[in-house]
Each structure stands twice: as structure tokens, then as C-alpha cells.
Amino acid sequence: MSGQVYFEDVHEGDSIPALVKGPLERIQLVKYAGASGDFNPIHVDEVYAQAAGMKSVFAHGMLSMAFVGQMLTDWMGPLGELKRFQVRFSAVAWPGDVITSTGTTVRHWEEKGEGLVELALESKSQEGTVTVKGAACVRLPRRSA
Amino acid sequence: MSGQVYFEDVHEGDSIPALVKGPLERIQLVKYAGASGDFNPIHVDEVYAQAAGMKSVFAHGMLSMAFVGQMLTDWMGPLGELKRFQVRFSAVAWPGDVITSTGTTVRHWEEKGEGLVELALESKSQEGTVTVKGAACVRLPRRSA
């Protein structure tokens, strides 16, 4: 969504625009390792990962969380403020996976003059495996402000 | 070698202290990819490398060159100046390889009051495979200066 979303435009039960990332590439995990400083070889060393009993390397959990974060910040626009963001990692994301993140408004209220929105968040692979579940609270600008 | 080497201490035919690096680890290649910005997957994506007909990922050529460069700068000390450094890549370095870099003074002369040293350089794996051959010219400080 381009432009700015306002508090008055959002209603409980609304879905925000989904974000699709993938297919995940191994080189993407290599780049994320360098960008994050997380050099756990399980994410980037195929031989190590398989010796550890995994079918292959797999995405850093924080990268899966970042996909959801990108969906949120794309949606809330430059005047939105992410006040809280938490996730639980349910399953790992593998190279080749296409990860779709979604969010739904579960609460929409005013507090001390601010417009606040609580969202339920989820990411799933192309096979329907839930990789991330979470929640966020976003302050949105008001048209009337 | 700690401290500073001086022009007067060096003679033609001298060897400089060798530098041993390794065994090379895949995670080292991942770190080098991030540090250098060279994300060619042949160096960090095992599946890609094997599909391309290689036995595994292998070191970036510039990383092999950097081992030789580290040997040179360790030796020449803070007052040395690396004036020229060139290498030819003879063979790739693989994960698990132990790479020993060596250098020999092949010329030692004065020019416009400067003390200059020409070195022949080589790196070999533990199996004796030459991975890098090269040459460098280093200016060394003079005790008499």
C-alpha cells in the first residue's frame, strides 16, 4: 500500500495487505548473516546443517520475523509508529519456501488522544505451515489531528 | 614477527615468516562474502556449487590473496609500505584446507634514498597444491635514516 493509512480508515476485522517473500535463497541467508552478525553455521553451512540432522540450512528466526516487520511498516506508512511487536517461531523456513505474512486488526481504540490498533500476525509457507505467529500494536495518525 | 624490520636487516634469498591459515571453514567464507560484498553463490551455497560441478564451495580468490597480504603486512611492520602486490590464482582453496603462505626476497636495492625489497610469494595447501603465486615490492625503513 502506498501513501499513509489513517486511524479512521481501519476497522476491527480488517486485513492489512499481505507480504509475500520468496522463494527463499541460500544466498539470502548468507546476506542476512552478514547484515545481522548472526553467523550460526546452521543457517549458512549446508554440511554443518545436515550433520546436525537438518534436511538443509534454514532461515534465521529473526529473518522470518523481519518479513512480518516489513509487512507492518509497509502498511503503517511513515507516520505510523510500531509500539509493540512480538512473535513466536512455530516452524523454520527452508530454502525454496515462499513465505506469506498476513495481519488482521483485532482491536481498534483511542487512548489519551492516540489512535491505536492491535494486530494478530501470521506467516505461512506455500505448504500452509505456520512459521511465525505474533501480535503488534501500532499507533496510526488521525485525520482529525 | 613483532616489532619493525629494517632494510639493513634483509638480504637477498631471505625467507620472511610464513603465515599458516586454516583449516578453512565454510563460515569463514560466509563472513568474507559479507565483508567483501562478493555474494557469488559458488563460494557459500553448497547446493549451487555442486550443481555447478564443483566438489563443494571454495574460497574467494581475493581471500587467498588476503592471506598473502596479511603475511606481508605482518612482516613489514607499521613503517613498511606495500608499493606493489600482484598474484595469480593457480588453484582454489577448499574448506578444510590449511594454506601456508611464504615469501622470499629476490631483490634488495636502494633507489632515490629508499630501501626497496622485491619478494616472490607463494601459497600452498597441506597437499602441496599451489593456490597462489605472486610478487610484491615493499619499501622498508632504514636504520640510518
Side-chain angles (χ1 to χ4, degrees), chain A residues 90-108:
Chain A
S90 307
V92 300
W94 304 99
D97 276 356
V98 177
I99 303 296
T100 300
S101 297
T102 57
T104 305
T105 302
V106 293
R107 196 177 158 215
H108 176 269

Side-chain angles (χ1 to χ4, degrees), chain A:
Chain A
M1 183 184 289
S2 61
Q4 182 60 54
V5 64
Y6 289 89
F7 180 66
E8 291 83 352
D9 304 329
V10 176
H11 306 92
E12 284 184 19
D14 284 357
S15 293
I16 69 173
L19 181 72
V20 181
K21 300 286 275 192
L24 297 188
E25 298 182 0
R26 284 176 176 77
I27 197 70
Q28 192 173 3
L29 308 187
V30 168
K31 290 178 180 176
Y32 187 77
S36 67
D38 179 351
F39 290 107
N40 185 332
I42 202 84
H43 303 301
V44 288
D45 181 338
E46 196 67 37
V47 175
Y48 178 95
Q50 293 190 14
M54 310 306 289
K55 69 176 182 182
S56 80
V57 295
F58 57 90
H60 305 71
M62 292 299 284
L63 179 58
S64 292
M65 184 175 187
F67 294 161
V68 183
Q70 183 179 338
M71 172 184 68
L72 288 170
T73 54
D74 282 355
W75 166 70
M76 72 189 195
L79 300 179
E81 181 194 346
L82 184 60
K83 297 180 74 73
R84 185 169 44 77
F85 179 26
Q86 60 193 50
V87 301
R88 181 167 57 81
F89 302 112
S90 307
V92 300
W94 304 99
D97 276 356
V98 177
I99 303 296
T100 300
S101 297
T102 57
T104 305
T105 302
V106 293
R107 196 177 158 215
H108 176 269
W109 77 106
E110 294 180 33
E111 191 174 302
K112 297 176 185 169
E114 294 197 320
L116 299 173
V117 177
E118 175 83 17
L119 297 128
L121 308 166
E122 189 174 81
S123 294
K124 282 185 180 175
S125 75
Q126 72 287 352
E127 291 168 348
T129 303
V130 175
T131 55
V132 167
K133 281 187 92 72
C137 180
V138 173
R139 186 189 61 74
L140 290 178
R142 306 182 69 172
R143 290 195 186 278
S144 50

Side-chain angles (χ1 to χ4, degrees), chain B residues 13-37:
Chain B
D14 283 358
S15 292
I16 70 173
L19 181 72
V20 181
K21 300 287 274 193
L24 297 189
E25 297 182 359
R26 283 174 176 78
I27 198 70
Q28 192 172 3
L29 307 187
V30 168
K31 291 179 181 176
Y32 187 77
S36 67

